[in-house]
């Protein structure tokens, strides 16, 4: 086992390669701290790749009077949009209204209205929805996103997929986000600024010795172990945060998380326009239907308590049926299991505030510094993807008490890799890519720009033809792109690429994915043992080939 020498003690060690861990690592290293991060699987392999993929204020949270959370998220939408216009973009949401829509029974708003206006009998009146949207439009100080408008559904395309009983709707703005790519780009930016990022590296133990954390790491592929010394430990383990406190760090605590499973289904494309729907159920719950990857529709989410963090979350048949039936109460053409092409599920690690239901549990984040072991430990509970940057800033406020020389907040407005262009510049960038690489089709160029932004030109490099990109794996995925992802984005296997670096798994067959896995194992795995070694492997391109003997 390798041990760090005394002068190699770092400032910050982060456990967890989800959005909170990578966001904190990026912010901290940018303030002059020395940082290392370990993720036991792939980056964004759990909750951070299983979201509804929205930067949103959380309209329904207003009914819980979580105004601070909503306002912070609303402000963040545009801050983030400017920093990553390749992986985030504005979307319009259509909220159909019907008089039978109801509150979830135990929200503060529903309790107040049931007391003041008992004749409503739990129904959600239209004036209240309009008032909520007025707050949603104005709490965050919009500059880019459009405000709310009223729609007559029978007069426009938005009403075409809906049942005739829906005559009016409200349309408002939120943003799409490629969630797993957001995590990868934060990790890459952290590494570019000096952090060490370890994937497939498990934290076996963390022991405090004379005020310093001794963190034992194990490479899950080679089983090699080493010890890293750090002055402060950040527990951003997501669903595993409580497990890490009790089993890895071995501290007794009353703090805990409520594990809530959110499941989604992906169906064939259900309608032709590019707007989302916000559907309100008669049980007070809500779901979204969202245009997804051009040819599909994303439907979600559920809120179900998940008891055991060691059990992989899956969309159960009951959850799938719930989503299908929910959407079918709005759509003219019922959605059935035959329409489902994929499903995914993630566990949200919500702070356990004692709420009576999974839906009512707070989505706000809670940061707790624990010094009971003798060295400082920062535990991260809860949070939502929209406020990850603000969570990181709040974490650094706590961390600065230990490191007073850390510099000021800096991440607002600073572009992530590939995002250094105007918010409205995507179309121009796509056309420029096609001009420079004339063998690209429009869908192919669009996919590359919406994944890599300005770095799409680096991915293709000096290719003059499709053949120059080497082995084709289907769905426009080439060997050159795969190798770029291995060299630059910590990809180690096919699933990393087709489900987290992209969503090409929706278009590739099982046989094509298996072939990609075999190819990567042969061509890539021997070259890189860990993502943290990438910085030192400047000669990697001399060893990897495109499958046709063409080196990159």
């Amino acid at each position: 086992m390798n041990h760090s020498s005394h002068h190699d003690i770092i400032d910050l060690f982060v456990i967890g390669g989800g959005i909170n861990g990578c966001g904190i690592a990026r912010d901290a290293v940018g303030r002059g701290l020395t940082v290392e991060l370990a993720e036991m699987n792939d980056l964004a392999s759990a909750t951070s790749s299983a979201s509804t993929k929205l930067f949103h204020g959380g309209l329904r949270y207003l009914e819980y009077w979580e105004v601070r959370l909503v306002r912070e998220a609303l402000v963040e939408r545009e801050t983030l949009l400017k920093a990553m216009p390749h992986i985030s973009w504005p979307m319009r949401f259509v909220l159909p209204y019907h008089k039978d829509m109801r509150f979830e029974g135990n929200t503060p708003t529903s309790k107040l209205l049931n007391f003041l206006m008992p004749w409503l009998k739990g129904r959600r009146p239209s004036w209240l929805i309009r008032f909520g949207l007025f707050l949603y439009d104005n709490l965050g100080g919009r500059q880019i996103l459009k405000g709310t408008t009223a729609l007559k559904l029978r007069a426009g395309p938005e009403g075409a997929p809906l049942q005739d009983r829906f005559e009016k709707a409200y349309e408002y703005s939120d943003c799409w986000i490629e969630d797993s790519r957001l995590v990868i780009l934060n990790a890459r930016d952290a590494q570019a600024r000096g952090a060490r990022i370890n994937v497939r590296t498990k934290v076996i133990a963390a022991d405090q010795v004379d005020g310093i954390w001794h963190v034992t790491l194990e490479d899950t592929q080679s089983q090699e172990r080493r010890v890293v010394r750090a002055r402060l430990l950040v527990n951003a383990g997501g669903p595993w945060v409580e497990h890490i406190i009790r089993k890895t760090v071995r501290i007794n605590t009353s703090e805990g998380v409520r594990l809530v499973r959110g499941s989604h289904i992906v169906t064939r494309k259900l309608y032709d326009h590019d707007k989302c729907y916000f559907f309100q159920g008669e049980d007070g719950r809500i779901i979204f239907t969202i245009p997804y990857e051009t040819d599909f529709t994303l439907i979600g989410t559920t809120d179900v308590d998940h008891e055991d963090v060691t059990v992989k979350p899956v969309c159960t048949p009951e959850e799938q049926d719930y989503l299908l039936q929910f959407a079918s109460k709005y759509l003219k053409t019922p959605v059935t299991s035959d329409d489902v092409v994929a499903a995914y599920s993630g566990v949200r690690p919500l702070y356990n505030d004692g709420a009576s239901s999974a839906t009512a549990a707070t989505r706000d984040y809670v940061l707790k510094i624990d010094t009971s072991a003798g060295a400082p430990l920062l535990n991260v509970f809860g949070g939502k993807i929209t406020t990850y940057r603000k969570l990181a800033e709040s974490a650094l406020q706590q961390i600065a008490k230990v490191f007073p020389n850390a510099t000021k907040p800096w991440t607002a407005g600073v572009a992530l890799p590939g995002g250094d262009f105007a918010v409205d510049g995507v179309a121009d960038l796509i056309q420029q890519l096609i001009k420079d690489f004339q063998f690209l089709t429009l869908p192919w160029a669009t996919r590359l720009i919406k994944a890599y932004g300005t770095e799409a030109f680096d991915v293709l490099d000096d290719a003059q033809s499709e053949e120059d990109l080497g082995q084709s794996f289907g769905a426009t995925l080439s060997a050159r792109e795969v190798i770029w992802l291995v060299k630059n984005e910590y990809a180690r296997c096919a699933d990393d690429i087709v489900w987290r670096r992209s969503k090409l798994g929706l278009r590739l067959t099982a046989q094509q994915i298996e072939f990609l896995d075999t190819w990567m194992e042969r061509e890539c795995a021997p070259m890189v043992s860990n993502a943290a070694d990438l910085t030192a492997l400047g000669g990697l391109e001399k060893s990897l080939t495109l499958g046709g003997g063409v080196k990159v």
Side-chain angles (χ1 to χ4, degrees):
M1 182 185 296
N2 295 325
H3 291 265
S4 303
S5 61
H6 181 74
H7 65 271
D8 285 338
I9 297 175
I10 63 172
D11 294 324
L12 216 67
F13 192 94
V14 181
I15 304 175
I19 188 54
N20 290 336
C22 291
I24 290 171
R26 178 190 183 227
D27 195 328
V29 73
R31 298 190 194 212
L33 302 181
T34 50
V35 179
E36 185 163 350
L37 177 148
E39 163 56 46
M40 64 180 176
N41 298 304
D42 184 25
L43 297 174
S45 58
T47 308
S48 295
S49 60
S51 74
T52 312
K53 310 183 194 309
L54 298 176
F55 278 155
H56 67 127
L59 181 60
R60 73 179 184 86
Y61 305 150
L62 289 174
E63 290 188 356
Y64 292 90
W65 301 352
E66 295 208 40
V67 177
R68 189 210 62 80
L69 172 65
V70 174
R71 184 183 184 281
E72 182 177 80
L74 290 172
V75 172
E76 274 297 284
R77 291 179 310 177
E78 297 200 3
T79 300
L80 298 173
L81 188 59
K82 294 172 186 175
M84 54 196 80
H86 52 323
I87 62 168
S88 181
W89 48 87
M91 298 191 83
R92 295 291 280 173
F93 289 73
V94 177
L95 195 164
Y97 177 75
H98 190 270
K99 61 181 178 63
D100 290 329
M101 290 169 180
R102 295 182 177 275
F103 291 102
E104 189 195 11
N106 58 359
T107 71
T109 301
S110 67
K111 291 177 180 178
L112 180 63
L113 260 67
N114 285 337
F115 176 75
L116 295 176
M117 302 177 182
W119 59 87
L120 290 175
K121 297 180 178 179
R123 290 190 293 271
R124 188 185 270 125
S126 61
W127 62 262
L128 184 68
I129 294 172
R130 191 63 188 88
F131 177 64
L133 288 167
F134 171 80
L135 293 177
Y136 206 73
D137 280 347
N138 292 283
L139 281 174
R142 289 177 301 105
Q143 294 180 339
I144 299 170
L145 300 175
K146 297 178 182 178
T148 298
T149 58
L151 294 178
K152 294 182 179 179
L153 291 174
R154 293 184 180 178
E158 298 86 359
L162 301 178
Q163 295 175 13
D164 291 339
R165 66 191 178 100
F166 297 104
E167 298 181 4
K168 70 176 182 178
Y170 303 101
E171 183 178 297
Y172 68 96
S173 291
D174 266 322
C175 297
W176 177 261
I177 178 60
E178 298 287 347
D179 53 3
S180 51
R181 291 210 54 75
L182 174 66
V183 179
I184 276 68
L185 295 183
N186 270 272
R188 285 188 57 209
D189 198 53
Q191 179 173 299
R193 296 174 189 276
R196 179 166 182 166
I197 306 296
N198 306 279
V199 297
R200 290 177 169 82
T201 301
K202 189 171 184 177
V203 176
I204 301 298
D207 302 294
Q208 184 278 141
V209 181
D210 297 328
I212 299 295
W213 288 105
H214 289 225
V215 185
T216 303
L217 307 179
E218 181 179 84
D219 186 308
T220 60
Q221 295 173 306
S222 68
Q223 280 71 57
E224 291 183 5
R225 290 190 176 188
R226 61 187 177 92
V227 174
V228 176
R229 298 177 183 183
R231 294 180 178 86
L232 188 145
L233 187 65
V234 175
N235 175 11
W240 289 270
V241 62
E242 188 174 347
H243 178 88
I244 291 168
I245 295 172
R246 300 181 188 280
K247 303 295 184 182
T248 305
V249 184
R250 298 183 298 280
I251 293 176
N252 290 324
T253 180
S254 60
E255 306 290 348
V257 291
R258 182 171 190 161
L259 302 178
V260 176
R261 186 173 67 250
S263 295
H264 299 74
I265 55 176
V266 180
T267 70
R268 62 172 181 81
K269 190 175 183 178
L270 297 179
Y271 47 87
D272 292 329
H273 62 76
D274 62 355
K275 296 177 181 179
C276 312
Y277 287 108
F278 178 118
F279 291 158
Q280 306 170 84
E282 294 176 4
D283 60 353
R285 285 275 300 131
I286 65 102
I287 64 168
F288 297 102
T289 67
I290 305 173
Y292 188 54
E293 294 293 315
T294 306
D295 298 318
F296 306 95
T297 299
L298 178 65
I299 303 177
T301 179
T302 60
D303 274 323
V304 181
D305 283 314
H306 189 82
E307 299 300 329
D308 188 347
V309 69
T310 65
V311 175
K312 183 178 179 180
V314 296
C315 180
T316 64
E318 292 78 15
E319 287 175 287
Q320 176 173 299
D321 288 345
Y322 173 81
L323 293 172
L324 291 172
Q325 292 170 17
F326 200 143
S328 295
K329 289 179 180 178
Y330 277 79
L331 300 170
K332 282 180 182 175
T333 304
V335 195
T336 71
S337 58
D338 292 338
D339 297 310
V340 177
V341 298
Y344 65 87
S345 188
V347 174
R348 308 182 195 99
L350 306 181
Y351 183 69
N352 193 351
D353 60 354
S356 60
S357 71
T359 303
T362 182
R363 266 56 177 175
D364 210 346
Y365 54 81
V366 176
L367 306 173
K368 297 280 188 177
I369 285 273
D370 189 321
T371 57
S372 61
L377 165 68
L378 176 67
N379 294 308
V380 180
F381 299 95
K384 56 200 295 283
I385 197 165
T386 312
T387 53
Y388 88 90
R389 194 193 65 83
K390 294 297 291 184
L391 182 151
E393 284 190 342
S394 296
L396 265 295
Q397 279 187 328
Q398 303 265 13
I399 290 167
K401 298 172 185 176
V402 180
F403 304 104
N405 293 328
T407 56
K408 295 180 180 180
W410 64 275
T411 56
V414 177
L416 287 173
D420 50 339
F421 63 98
V423 171
D424 60 355
V426 169
D428 289 343
L429 209 55
I430 292 169
Q431 291 305 313
Q432 185 61 51
L433 191 69
I434 292 173
K435 181 179 178 181
D436 290 2
F437 301 93
Q438 296 184 12
F439 57 87
L440 294 177
T441 63
L442 179 59
W444 189 355
T446 300
R447 180 182 74 79
L448 292 175
I449 292 299
K450 288 194 170 185
Y452 308 111
T454 55
E455 290 190 320
F457 298 86
D458 299 327
V459 174
L460 297 176
D461 196 19
D462 60 354
Q464 300 297 312
S465 67
E466 187 172 347
E467 289 70 27
D468 289 341
L469 301 179
Q471 176 72 51
S472 172
F473 299 102
T476 72
L477 181 65
S478 68
R480 181 165 299 205
E481 184 177 354
V482 169
I483 292 172
W484 196 90
L485 291 169
V486 171
K487 287 172 57 180
N488 296 283
E489 295 198 358
Y490 318 99
R492 294 292 174 272
C493 66
D495 275 1
D496 295 354
I497 289 176
V498 304
W499 292 117
R500 287 180 287 279
R501 305 316 183 273
S502 73
K503 294 296 180 286
L504 292 174
L506 292 169
R507 302 181 185 280
L508 295 171
T509 66
Q511 291 76 18
Q512 287 174 313
I513 295 173
E514 183 180 2
F515 175 75
L516 171 61
D517 223 11
T518 302
W519 188 91
M520 289 181 68
E521 185 175 351
R522 183 181 71 247
E523 296 288 337
C524 304
M527 309 300 172
V528 181
S529 61
N530 195 286
D533 300 326
L534 287 175
T535 306
L537 291 177
L540 179 64
E541 69 277 4
K542 297 178 182 178
S543 303
L544 290 173
T545 66
L546 296 177
V550 181
K551 292 183 179 180
V552 294

